[in-house]
Amino acid sequence: EPEVTQTPSHQVTQMGQEVILRCVPISNHLYFYWYRQILGQKVEFLVSFYNNEISEKSEIFDDQFSVERPDGSNFTLKIRSTKLEDSAMYFCASRGRGFGNQPQHFGDGTRLSIL
Amino acid sequence: DQQVKQNSPSLSVQEGRISILNCDYTNSMFDYFLWYKKYPAEGPTFLISISSIKDKNEDGRFTVFLNKSAKHLSLHIVPSQPGDSAVYFCAASGIAAGKSTFGDGTTLTVKP
């Protein structure tokens, strides 16, 4: 079964540095998402991406965050100047064509640790 | 404003018995509700969904019930198995393929 892959599985970065989290969604999917889960807390929506543009974003997704689908296969999340509170699991998800009942397929996440 | 709530952070049941996980929501505009299961060190995986026009959907051992007037849904697992031990997330979405709003999750432990 096709799956969403995320790299790296664990990223350790100094505060203030830029970090790029990478995702390869399922190949025929059209909708792409990033979520994060701070340790012990709920899964939080960050951003959704469709047709090469952001379709929706949360309050968390401020100017330090950006997303890109540079080559038609990868989907990246960039955090420009990391803060301690950015430490979390970041999940990428993708979804095929259809309505909101179509499930999102999640990767196994990247654990981001900011020192 | 937490639009999707799972008020029980944990649930423990004996193998073979029924597990009932609950979820409440506040936004009457949600059209679909989905349950995901998450094991440690893995991403959430889809389990079962229900449309807001239905009150029940069944898939094998898993049944989701929706009470729209109470803005409440529940996931029943019968019979529960030790492999069902995981964190279960309730999620809600609109009619379009947009974001899903997740609850906090309920950790289910099924004891052999």
Side-chain angles (χ1 to χ4, degrees):
Chain A
E1 185 176 326
E3 56 182 31
V4 176
T5 56
Q6 290 186 244
T7 55
S9 56
H10 191 192
Q11 174 79 46
V12 182
T13 302
Q14 291 287 330
M15 185 173 61
Q17 295 296 306
E18 175 182 287
V19 66
I20 297 176
L21 309 182
R22 302 182 191 279
C23 170
V24 179
I26 295 173
S27 62
N28 62 348
H29 281 187
L30 302 175
Y31 302 88
F32 312 106
Y33 309 85
W34 283 101
Y35 293 84
R36 79 172 185 190
Q37 185 179 27
I38 296 171
L39 186 64
Q41 298 186 24
K42 66 187 294 184
V43 174
E44 298 175 292
F45 168 78
L46 292 178
V47 65
S48 60
F49 191 87
Y50 171 71
N51 200 25
N52 286 319
E53 61 183 21
I54 291 173
S55 49
E56 193 170 2
K57 60 182 181 179
S58 72
E59 292 177 353
I60 304 167
F61 195 88
D62 61 21
D63 291 344
Q64 70 165 324
F65 291 93
S66 62
V67 290
E68 199 175 35
R69 191 159 155 78
D71 56 11
S73 61
N74 291 286
F75 180 50
T76 62
L77 174 68
K78 182 191 289 186
I79 309 175
R80 251 178 287 281
S81 177
T82 50
K83 298 179 276 195
L84 293 176
E85 54 264 38
D86 294 328
S87 295
M89 282 291 290
Y90 287 80
F91 293 104
C92 171
S94 68
R95 176 189 280 178
R97 189 184 303 275
F99 295 111
N101 62 329
Q102 293 299 311
Q104 296 176 24
H105 297 256
F106 285 80
D108 285 339
T110 293
R111 179 173 299 284
L112 179 62
S113 299
I114 307 299
L115 305 179
Chain B
D1 173 30
Q2 193 164 355
Q3 297 188 61
V4 178
K5 295 182 186 179
Q6 293 176 257
N7 291 318
S8 299
S10 63
L11 174 67
S12 182
V13 300
Q14 208 66 35
E15 180 178 7
R17 306 294 288 268
I18 185 171
S19 297
I20 300 176
L21 298 102
N22 294 301
C23 178
D24 297 293
Y25 62 98
T26 57
N27 187 346
S28 58
M29 299 302 289
F30 288 135
D31 291 289
Y32 297 102
F33 303 91
L34 305 94
W35 285 94
Y36 291 83
K37 180 168 73 172
K38 185 182 180 305
Y39 293 117
E42 294 183 11
T45 55
F46 170 73
L47 201 54
I48 191 170
S49 66
I50 188 167
S51 162
S52 62
I53 63 173
K54 294 190 174 182
D55 55 18
K56 178 181 175 182
N57 188 27
E58 194 170 353
D59 183 2
R61 296 186 298 115
F62 303 93
T63 303
V64 56
F65 295 93
L66 175 63
N67 182 335
K68 205 172 174 184
S69 61
K71 294 191 177 68
H72 176 85
L73 62 152
S74 60
L75 174 68
H76 294 212
I77 306 173
V78 182
S80 302
Q81 299 173 354
D84 296 330
S85 297
V87 179
Y88 288 79
F89 291 97
C90 168
S93 64
I95 193 166
K99 72 175 186 180
S100 289
T101 301
F102 283 78
D104 288 347
T106 296
T107 300
L108 173 65
T109 303
V110 180
K111 298 179 181 177

